[in-house]
Amino acid sequence: MKYTLSLKQNHEFRRLYNKGKSAVSPYFVIYCRKTGRPVNRLGITTSVKLGNAVKRNRARRRIRELYRTHEGGMLLGYDIVIVARTRVIYGRYGELERSFGQLTKKLGLLSAKGDRP
């Protein structure tokens, strides 16, 4: 992921949950907040409720790939947290992609063509 770093600190996640904008779908919840940095920072959360470690890691991989494929069309300077819901494990990838696109558009994370370096 060329334009993205990882969010790792608990207080950064909590700040996004409390002060960030959010959008919800059956597959995941996306929280975002503008930071003004030259890159985005991404955090992915999977709960123990999703299942064992294999299922949680599969959910993380699917979400990371969704983000990676859409990264080129996203604005820079945001902290983003994606919280996985149970359906992300069993949903078809096309449905996940459509849902991710709708949520990023709703949150205003998509850039107009030609805005990226």
Side-chain angles (χ1 to χ4, degrees), residues 27 62 66 91-100:
Y27 302 106
R62 294 183 98 187
L66 281 170
R92 291 194 335 235
Y93 189 78
E95 294 173 8
L96 296 176
E97 196 166 26
R98 182 179 49 78
S99 180
F100 187 82

Side-chain angles (χ1 to χ4, degrees), residues 46 50-61 89:
T46 55
L50 286 178
N52 62 16
V54 174
K55 291 180 182 176
R56 292 194 306 271
N57 285 326
R58 180 170 191 237
R60 277 189 220 111
R61 284 194 310 270
I89 297 169

Side-chain angles (χ1 to χ4, degrees), residues 23-30 44-47 50 58-60 62-63 66 81-103:
V24 180
S25 81
Y27 302 106
F28 28 74
V29 181
I30 299 178
I44 299 173
T45 304
T46 55
S47 169
L50 286 178
R58 180 170 191 237
R60 277 189 220 111
R62 294 183 98 187
I63 291 171
L66 281 170
V81 169
I82 303 173
V83 180
R85 290 181 149 188
T86 308
R87 290 188 184 181
V88 78
I89 297 169
Y90 305 108
R92 291 194 335 235
Y93 189 78
E95 294 173 8
L96 296 176
E97 196 166 26
R98 182 179 49 78
S99 180
F100 187 82
Q102 289 173 344
L103 295 182

